[in-house]
Each structure stands twice: as structure tokens, then as C-alpha cells.
Amino acid sequence: MYRYELDSIIEDMAKAYRIDINHVTKETSDLFFLDHGFRNFIYGDFDYNLLFNDMIKDIEDTSPISYLDSFGINYLIFKEKLPQSAEEKFTILGAYNTEAPSQSTITQYLEDNGVPFSMLEDTISFYNRCPVIQDVQQWHTLIIRLLQRYYGVDVSIQYRKYSPTSLSTKVNSEKINAIPDSMAKFAEMEERYAVEHRLIEAVKAGETSKALNTTNEFMKFKMSARIADPLRDAKDNVIAVNTLLRKAAEAAYVAPLYIDDLNAKLTADIEACTSVSQVFSVNSNIIRRYCMLVQTYSRANYHSIVRGTLNYIDVHYQEDLSLSFFADKFSVTKNYLSALFHDQVDMTLTDYINHTRIQHSLLLLNTTDISMSDIASACGFNDANYFTRAFKKQKGISPSAYRKSLRQ
């Protein structure tokens, strides 16, 4: 297996597990990524080379290290196979948890690391940024199998805990007092909102693959539980994502009718979930559905008058609609509106109105036994004969023949 193949596969795995992946050398100066700058915040000043050197201490060429730091955070580190003359390079996967720590556990870590209890809220924010790998054994097995193919030899993971003497440090009270309260939490929020913005932009453009990748990044930010019931809390979080994407679809000029319809269906799907894992599996479906909605119904490229006309027809198709009505509504001439509409929609305004009404008539023909005249009236056709002619023009058969074919 070539190095670029390994990089690609492991990066895909890291995305799937929502774990950060970084490639570094001993000369890399910016190591804040190791803990999102958390130690620098709590200690007022921290030399990240201490942490990095402790991680790679005594690392062997073909043996990855599973490293547990002083805050109970996990990392997986391995050497990259490079030519003899090249500088040593390391891949670091992490930070991540193997279980979600309780508040009492976090409090104990604060005490063990000499961090004041006043920093509990910021520390919880840090833990929330670290994804949880429930089945760490499976994760390690996958990495081992990949590295065995990469190195061409048997591979086993070395399990290492931090060295207290290497990482001994004290809180710099003078610097800490100069740092605004909840700065770490603010930094987390700022980063999360940046990812959130990228997610909105991806959905707004209907880019499914990009939206799913960004969602994976977004889901790294574990929100603190707002209520005691984990299932209800999970549902509320995904409903919040649904609301976010509803706004993205709205920004893509998808008609409110379609957005509300999809929102209602997705909310029902979320509420029907019976487990937390089921709730989060719905999340990917939400992304796909909104991207499909934008791809199919976005009216971003239409003139505002055409967009307004289409949106009005979608909701008021049962009413008496005409070219004159919309020309008056948008204060333009009939000729201007007719030409603009046909140029952008590729059909006349009258044909679009009839198309919309006939689409609604299909539901009534499929699900009811009411008469053709009642269906025509319910869909905005004042004349049942005109309804039949319009239907036949669009579908190639009469509405009665269409209904009969369904029952046969």
C-alpha cells in the first residue's frame, strides 16, 4: 500500500469517527491542534512541545502508540514510512474520548492537574469538542490492519500513559486572571458557528457530498445536555439542525410550501425515533433531503417577480389566477410579465398554472371517488370540460381514463 493510499483511507476513517487528523514533524511549531489550545488557556502559558515529545517518546518505526494524556484524552500516533534521508514525520489522530466523562470525573481531572474548579465550565466545553469512540477496540483493529499492509510487517499498538515528570506544569494565575471568563467556551462556539456557516452554504448550493462532510465536522461539537432525558436531548439537537437547514433552503429561494412540507415530515421522523443512535442516523437523511430539495426546487436564478409569481401559484392555485392578476400584483405590464415568465420558466404563465392544478388533481384522482366536476373545482378549474382538456394535453389521456387505468 502506498503512502497516499494510506493517507486517503485513514482520513476517510477519521471523518467517519469525527476525529481530527494531523501530520507533523519535530520541527512543527504550531501544535495547538493537539487540544484545541485548551492547555494554553488553562495554564496561561503552555509549551506544546512537551506534550508532543511525550507522545512520541520511544516510538518505534512500525508500532503505533495509543496515548492517554493527563486529562484522560486519547490519541493514536504512528510514524510515516519515508526515505531514510527524509525528516521523521508523524500522523496524530485525536483528541478523542473512549467514553463521555461525567462531571465528577472532569472535576477529578481538574484537581489532578492543579486547575481551579472555577474553570469547570470551560473544561466541559473542551471535552464536548472531543468525539467519543464507543468501540475503541474496533477502531484500533482497523488502524492495525491498515498499518500492517502499509509497513508490510505485523503491527501491535503500544499503550502509553502520559509522563507526570515530562508534563509537570502549574497554572499561571497572573495570565489566567487577564483572560476573559469563558474564553475557551467562546472559542469553541466561534469555531462551531464557522462550521455551521459552511454547512448552511453547502446546503444552500445543494452540494450533498460537501454538506455531509461538513455535517460530520459539525457533529464533533458535542453539545452539553440541556435536559436529563438523553433521547429527548438528542431529538432537540437534531431538530435544531433541521431548523438550521430549513433556513438554508429558504436562502436558496425554495418555495415555503415545499420547505414546510419537508420540515413536517422530517420532524415526524425525528419524533418517531426510539433510541439516541436512531436519532443521529436520521441526521444524514435530513442533509440529503434538504440538498435534494434545493437541487429540485431552488428558484435562486429566477427574477424576483417570477419567483413571487411561482410561490403565489403554489399556495393559491385554487383561486382565480391570470396574467392580468399577476401583472397588477407586481405592477408590471402583461407583455413584460408574459415574456419574462416564459423566458425563465420555459412555459407560459397559463400553462404553469394548469400544470400546478393538474398535479394537485392527481392526488384526488388517486385517493378519492369524487366527481370530475368536484375535482376540477377543488383544483381551481371553473369548468370541468376545460379541466379535462388541460389534463389530456398534459398527460395524454383524460382524467377519467387516468383514474380507470389506476383501478385496473
Side-chain angles (χ1 to χ4, degrees):
M1 180 183 289
Y2 293 106
R3 182 183 152 212
Y4 70 84
E5 291 179 305
L6 179 78
D7 287 347
S8 177
I9 294 170
I10 290 187
E11 286 199 16
D12 286 343
M13 283 177 55
K15 283 181 182 177
Y17 280 93
R18 304 191 180 101
I19 295 175
D20 291 334
I21 179 169
N22 289 279
H23 307 281
V24 299
T25 70
K26 290 182 179 179
E27 302 304 315
T28 302
S29 57
D30 186 3
L31 295 168
F32 273 40
F33 68 83
L34 290 173
D35 63 359
H36 308 290
F38 173 65
R39 282 175 175 79
N40 204 56
F41 169 72
I42 62 170
Y43 291 119
D45 191 11
F46 183 76
D47 183 359
Y48 278 92
N49 286 301
L50 294 176
L51 178 59
F52 176 60
N53 289 331
D54 196 53
M55 285 180 170
I56 63 171
K57 184 174 61 179
D58 301 326
I59 188 171
E60 297 176 10
D61 287 346
T62 59
S63 294
I65 287 176
S66 176
Y67 181 84
L68 183 70
D69 78 2
S70 61
F71 287 89
I73 301 297
N74 293 264
Y75 301 83
L76 198 61
I77 309 111
F78 63 87
K79 268 188 179 183
E80 297 185 12
K81 189 168 65 174
L82 296 169
Q84 290 295 324
S85 58
E87 186 178 14
E88 284 186 318
K89 195 170 185 180
F90 306 87
T91 294
I92 300 178
L93 294 153
Y96 60 89
N97 293 302
T98 56
E99 61 180 358
S102 64
Q103 183 167 316
S104 60
T105 301
I106 295 174
T107 303
Q108 186 62 53
Y109 281 131
L110 291 179
E111 184 178 332
D112 294 344
N113 285 275
V115 180
F117 185 71
S118 60
M119 291 190 172
L120 176 62
E121 185 180 348
D122 289 306
T123 307
I124 290 173
S125 292
F126 163 63
Y127 280 100
N128 285 341
R129 295 176 75 178
C130 300
V132 177
I133 296 182
Q134 301 287 359
D135 192 344
V136 71
Q137 192 61 45
Q138 181 187 57
W139 161 249
H140 284 174
T141 300
L142 289 170
I143 295 293
I144 286 172
R145 288 179 178 172
L146 282 172
L147 291 180
Q148 282 180 171
R149 293 184 62 194
Y150 177 57
Y151 292 132
V153 297
D154 287 341
V155 171
S156 61
I157 292 179
Q158 300 178 55
Y159 292 87
R160 284 248 319 277
K161 192 176 178 182
Y162 72 97
S163 170
T165 54
S166 299
L167 292 177
S168 179
T169 187
K170 292 181 180 179
V171 172
N172 186 328
S173 301
E174 184 178 330
K175 288 196 175 185
I176 284 296
N177 291 334
I179 298 173
D181 290 342
S182 298
M183 187 175 178
K185 188 173 183 180
F186 175 76
E188 179 217 351
M189 289 174 62
E190 194 173 45
E191 187 179 344
R192 179 162 56 86
Y193 284 136
V195 175
E196 187 178 287
H197 177 72
R198 292 202 300 274
L199 174 59
I200 290 172
E201 290 301 307
V203 172
K204 199 166 92 173
E207 297 176 348
T208 307
S209 178
K210 187 175 180 180
L212 287 170
N213 287 336
T214 309
T215 304
N216 225 9
E217 192 178 349
F218 182 72
M219 295 302 288
K220 288 180 184 178
F221 299 96
K222 179 181 176 292
M223 303 296 290
S224 299
R226 290 173 170 81
I227 55 177
D229 180 2
L231 178 58
R232 181 67 263 165
D233 192 63
K235 286 181 179 181
D236 288 347
N237 282 331
V238 176
I239 286 172
V241 173
N242 182 41
T243 302
L244 189 72
L245 301 187
R246 187 177 68 188
K247 293 295 182 184
E250 186 180 325
Y253 294 103
V254 174
L257 179 71
Y258 301 127
I259 297 174
D260 288 345
D261 183 52
L262 179 59
N263 177 62
K265 289 175 181 175
L266 293 175
T267 301
D269 289 345
I270 295 167
E271 292 299 342
C273 293
T274 56
S275 68
V276 172
S277 59
Q278 195 178 5
V279 171
F280 288 111
S281 69
V282 169
N283 203 52
S284 294
N285 184 47
I286 290 174
I287 302 295
R288 290 188 178 90
R289 295 286 292 277
Y290 273 106
C291 285
M292 287 176 62
L293 189 74
V294 169
Q295 292 165 17
T296 307
Y297 294 111
S298 174
R299 291 169 176 169
N301 294 327
Y302 289 137
H303 189 285
S304 59
I305 291 176
V306 174
R307 193 160 54 234
T309 301
L310 293 171
N311 290 347
Y312 192 92
I313 294 169
D314 287 339
V315 178
H316 302 277
Y317 63 91
Q318 296 169 309
E319 299 174 7
D320 186 17
L321 303 176
S322 66
L323 182 61
S324 297
F325 170 82
F326 286 109
D328 290 342
K329 181 176 177 62
F330 293 106
S331 302
V332 294
T333 66
K334 290 191 292 184
N335 287 340
Y336 175 78
L337 177 57
S338 178
L340 180 65
F341 192 93
H342 191 276
D343 179 60
Q344 296 204 336
V345 184
D346 202 27
M347 67 173 74
T348 67
L349 178 60
T350 299
D351 283 345
Y352 184 83
I353 293 170
N354 287 342
H355 171 79
T356 303
R357 288 169 172 170
I358 288 167
Q359 288 303 110
H360 285 280
S361 76
L362 295 176
L363 178 63
L364 297 177
L365 289 167
N366 274 295
T367 60
T368 72
D369 291 317
I370 62 176
S371 68
M372 293 301 159
S373 60
D374 286 341
I375 290 177
S377 178
C379 294
F381 290 100
N382 294 328
D383 184 334
N385 291 327
Y386 180 55
F387 165 57
T388 299
R389 290 197 303 273
F391 191 98
K392 192 169 184 179
K393 178 183 176 182
Q394 191 175 129
K395 298 296 180 183
I397 59 173
S398 68
S400 56
Y402 173 84
R403 176 184 270 174
K404 186 175 180 181
S405 69
L406 288 174
R407 297 184 178 179
Q408 288 176 339

